[in-house]
Amino acid sequence: MQKAINLGLAAAIVLLGAGLAVSLATRPEPGLSSTEVERLIAEALPAQAPANADGAADIDTAALGPIIEDYLMANPRLLERMSVALETEMRAEESERARIALDAMHDDIYNDPANIVLGNPEGDVTLVEMFDYNCGYCRQVVADVMSLVEEDPNLRVILKEFPILSQGSVDAARVGVLVNDADVDYQAFHTALYSSRGAVDGESALSAAEQLGLSRVSLQLDMNTQEVSDALQRTYSIAQALGITGTPTFIIGDEVIPGAVPKEQLVQRIENMRACGATTCSDVAQEG
């Protein structure tokens, strides 16, 4: 048992040394060089780990803790650098998972017949927003999104009803699906609900739809049909596949962006999509 523990500790300290060497070799912060780290590990292991009969090294476990503690005390910023490196790696992995999921869900996201399309239907860049009418952060960004539609003639905006905050949100979304399918100005309906006071529910959505000339009775009869339920369910399925749990959430290119993103950041991503086909370009100056 002790032999197995020793072998495990030996492997762990070698891996730690290798990880430290890579981290320090690839980051500009001051600290020991990769050569110095390798030397320290090489000096520590022979003194504490003589080879046994099987050719494996035994480690004095009682001395291992002080060695690691001394090293970390001598290099207190090491853990900070390791944390940054880990966060960077995790973000890269999340981005790759999102890219794969977005590829798999591409048709569901961009070609759903229930999509609410604003701006240029043939635009060269598409910005998707998943929203809830009772989301305060959605209310904060609605003016920015509408201004993007007005200012950028080549932008297509897709709005997806994603009611997750209350039953009132669900009822309003059901009315919204029908309004989008009618021959009326959905943008006027959208901004009217976000301009209203208090919680948004089915009644407030019906009232806003009536202002556009739609029949309240017809909407009430149709809002709970299977077709409307299926439209909302497709958005829920997209959210589940992409790990989306809040509103607003934006999708552009290969990036899923949660939260109320400032307008200038959306503009930068749109410009980058046109410049290099991605939301981040190495040769494009980034803002914010």
Side-chain angles (χ1 to χ4, degrees):
M1 182 65 177
Q2 184 62 48
K3 177 180 177 181
I5 293 175
N6 290 343
L7 289 174
L9 289 171
I13 198 167
V14 170
L15 288 173
L16 175 61
L20 295 177
V22 171
S23 175
L24 291 170
T26 57
R27 294 185 61 81
E29 291 89 339
L32 295 177
S33 68
S34 58
T35 302
E36 291 171 323
V37 172
E38 292 171 356
R39 176 178 56 77
L40 286 175
I41 296 298
E43 290 176 353
L45 284 178
Q48 301 296 332
N52 59 26
D54 296 328
D58 286 330
I59 298 177
D60 182 354
T61 56
L64 183 60
I67 291 174
I68 296 175
E69 181 179 357
D70 289 346
Y71 180 81
L72 293 177
M73 291 299 293
N75 299 272
R77 297 188 66 86
L78 176 61
L79 293 179
E80 179 184 348
R81 296 198 295 272
M82 291 176 65
S83 177
V84 171
L86 177 61
E87 183 178 359
T88 300
E89 181 178 346
M90 291 178 66
R91 284 183 178 177
E93 291 175 354
E94 289 174 358
S95 296
E96 179 61 15
R97 285 195 296 269
R99 185 193 66 77
I100 294 172
L102 285 169
D103 284 345
M105 302 295 293
H106 184 276
D107 194 53
D108 297 304
I109 295 171
Y110 296 101
N111 299 319
D112 191 310
N115 278 347
I116 302 159
V117 180
L118 303 180
N120 185 349
E122 305 300 325
D124 58 353
V125 175
T126 299
L127 175 68
V128 179
E129 181 193 355
M130 298 173 67
F131 69 95
D132 183 308
Y133 275 120
N134 284 300
C135 165
Y137 293 107
C138 299
R139 188 182 292 263
Q140 289 179 17
V141 302
V142 66
D144 288 342
V145 173
M146 295 304 108
S147 67
L148 287 174
V149 171
E150 298 298 325
E151 297 167 4
D152 191 334
N154 289 317
L155 178 66
R156 176 174 68 149
V157 171
I158 293 176
L159 301 178
K160 284 186 173 291
E161 303 269 10
F162 184 41
I164 57 174
L165 296 179
S166 67
Q167 183 59 48
S169 295
V170 174
D171 293 340
R174 287 182 175 277
V175 176
V177 171
L178 296 175
V179 171
N180 181 54
D181 199 39
D183 187 20
V184 295
D185 184 358
Y186 184 90
Q187 187 170 342
F189 171 81
H190 189 74
T191 54
L193 286 187
Y194 275 122
S195 300
S196 63
R197 294 183 178 182
V200 176
D201 55 15
E203 179 60 31
S204 51
L206 288 169
S207 296
E210 275 190 306
Q211 294 298 315
L212 297 175
L214 297 180
S215 167
R216 172 184 287 264
V217 174
S218 295
L219 292 171
Q220 287 175 316
L221 290 173
D222 295 338
M223 62 186 288
N224 292 309
T225 61
Q226 189 62 46
E227 183 179 359
V228 172
S229 297
D230 288 345
L232 296 181
Q233 184 56 52
R234 290 194 296 273
T235 301
Y236 291 139
S237 297
I238 291 170
Q240 183 176 19
L242 299 180
I244 296 171
T245 59
T247 54
T249 293
F250 294 95
I251 300 172
I252 180 169
D254 288 340
E255 188 175 6
V256 177
I257 314 167
V261 184
K263 179 183 176 181
E264 58 269 20
Q265 292 187 21
L266 293 176
V267 169
Q268 183 66 68
R269 285 171 166 85
I270 293 167
E271 292 177 353
N272 288 350
M273 287 295 296
R274 290 183 174 130
C276 67
T279 56
T280 301
C281 302
S282 58
D283 57 342
V284 174
Q286 300 298 302
E287 298 178 2

